[in-house]
Amino acid sequence: MKNGERVEEFTAGYYGLCAAAGMLSAGATHLAITPLDVLKVNMQVNPVKYKGIMSGFSTLCREEGACGLWKGWSSKLLGYGVQGGCKFGLYEYFKNIYGDLLAADRRSNKGLVFFLSSASAQIFADVALCPFEAVKVRVQTDSSFAKGLSSGFPKLYANEGFYGFYKGLLPLWGRNLPFSMIMFTTFEHSVEVMHRKIIKRKREDCSRAQQLTVTCLAGYAAGAVGTVISNPADNIVSSLYNKKAATIMQAVKNIGVRNLFTRSLPVRIAIVGPVVTLQWFLYDSIKLFNGLPTSGGLRRHSILKDAELVTP
């Protein structure tokens, strides 16, 4: 394509497009699985009452009706939309920065680049998400607290002040930083392995359908692995937000080490695997639609610029 017909990589417009694509993909997918998220949070907070997926849904529908399954939907849409925009947009930005600094030949230190890029992006993404998450968890587990964001934000601030929005930030980082680092790194390596070992073709030699198939398979693998790693911190976050514990150590003691890893894990796998897959699918579809390559690998700014200079 000629210049001006599509967004050029490593420009402000490119990072803005990645952020917008991340916002749309994350917000839409998290909104779609709100009922599963409502069940997951209630299983974490009240495991005696909500013992399994089917029985848990039955209890929720019986006590709160079908509408109860959609509690916190606005926090899911807006909160995770903002988080997704920061996470994907900043990941692309940091990957370019760290790639130039640490992986000059695009082969060495790639894993370190993926780890650092995802961690850096997730730090900012969770700062943006935390207030929405604080309101969401309370709305989903306490029907008397508020009906949604519009009433939940002022009530939380009146009850707990600014600290109430961010008291779960450390465990949120504890949950999402390992998940993000494992998820992005697993995705990147899965894409590389599939192109090199299975398809045996470079990405640019594959059709759009083949590229998106690789994206979906790598996305599911990334989501499944990341879920297991992040499950203990996810249980701690729910316990703190619902005042089942005052500190992280108290939450660990109350829940128990074994339950930290197993409580709500099946429903989280049911949620996160398909969600991450769909996020990557939507994200890369938007990039392809705008004339950009699908995700995966290090494409350094300096190398692309040098290629432009020698192109006749």
Side-chain angles (χ1 to χ4, degrees):
M1 288 187 179
K2 295 180 180 179
N3 289 339
E5 292 185 356
R6 67 176 176 88
V7 176
E8 295 297 329
E9 288 184 86
F10 312 116
T11 63
Y14 169 73
Y15 296 123
L17 176 64
C18 291
M23 182 177 293
L24 177 62
S25 62
T29 51
H30 277 281
L31 174 64
I33 52 86
T34 297
L36 280 169
D37 188 63
V38 172
L39 175 61
K40 180 209 74 171
V41 172
N42 279 280
M43 288 176 69
Q44 291 172 332
V45 173
N46 195 345
V48 175
K49 184 177 182 180
Y50 300 95
K51 296 181 179 180
I53 295 177
M54 297 307 297
S55 62
F57 273 129
S58 177
T59 300
L60 283 170
C61 289
R62 184 174 62 253
E63 294 186 355
E64 303 187 35
C67 292
L69 296 176
W70 292 94
K71 291 190 300 184
W73 68 268
S74 56
S75 294
K76 295 284 286 181
L77 175 63
L78 298 177
Y80 282 91
V82 171
Q83 187 213 37
C86 293
K87 180 169 66 176
F88 282 95
L90 289 174
Y91 176 72
E92 299 284 1
Y93 174 76
F94 284 120
K95 186 167 75 166
N96 180 45
I97 298 297
Y98 293 138
D100 280 341
L101 292 174
L102 301 173
D105 60 359
R106 291 187 293 174
R107 292 193 181 110
S108 61
N109 299 323
K110 285 196 297 184
L112 179 60
V113 170
F114 301 146
F115 263 77
L116 290 176
S117 302
S118 54
S120 299
Q122 193 66 51
I123 287 173
F124 291 99
D126 282 348
V127 171
L129 169 66
C130 203
F132 295 94
E133 185 77 355
V135 175
K136 177 188 77 75
V137 173
R138 286 168 173 81
V139 168
Q140 290 178 337
T141 57
D142 184 359
S143 57
S144 64
F145 176 74
K147 292 184 177 180
L149 282 179
S150 59
S151 56
F153 266 115
K155 185 170 183 179
L156 181 58
Y157 182 76
N159 291 345
E160 301 182 34
F162 186 76
Y163 171 73
F165 293 112
Y166 283 98
K167 73 176 183 181
L169 181 59
L170 288 179
L172 196 63
W173 276 335
R175 177 187 73 184
N176 289 347
L177 278 172
F179 174 82
S180 185
M181 294 165 72
I182 295 297
M183 188 271 286
F184 276 103
T185 304
T186 302
F187 176 85
E188 295 277 5
H189 286 302
S190 296
V191 169
E192 181 182 1
V193 167
M194 278 188 276
H195 278 295
R196 185 160 46 89
K197 298 290 188 180
I198 300 175
I199 299 177
K200 297 182 179 179
R201 282 192 226 166
K202 294 180 179 180
R203 178 172 48 193
E204 52 267 28
D205 297 328
C206 295
S207 67
R208 288 189 172 188
Q210 289 173 324
Q211 291 182 56
L212 289 176
T213 298
V214 169
T215 291
C216 290
L217 292 174
Y220 191 86
V225 174
T227 299
V228 176
I229 298 296
S230 63
N231 201 61
D234 190 62
N235 280 297
I236 292 172
V237 168
S238 293
S239 180
L240 289 174
Y241 277 144
N242 284 278
K243 299 180 180 179
K244 299 292 184 179
T247 65
I248 294 175
M249 292 307 298
Q250 185 180 348
V252 172
K253 182 178 179 180
N254 291 347
I255 298 170
V257 174
R258 181 176 181 274
N259 287 334
L260 281 174
F261 287 91
T262 59
R263 181 177 293 177
S264 75
L265 182 59
V267 72
R268 284 198 74 223
I269 291 176
I271 293 173
V272 178
V275 164
V276 172
T277 303
L278 188 54
Q279 280 182 17
W280 279 109
F281 173 78
L282 293 174
Y283 180 70
D284 272 356
S285 294
I286 293 171
K287 291 176 73 175
L288 282 174
F289 180 78
N290 285 275
L292 294 167
T294 52
S295 302
L298 294 176
R299 292 169 58 82
R300 290 174 57 227
H301 189 191
S302 56
I303 288 178
L304 293 181
K305 281 295 183 184
D306 291 343
E308 289 177 4
L309 291 175
V310 300
T311 300

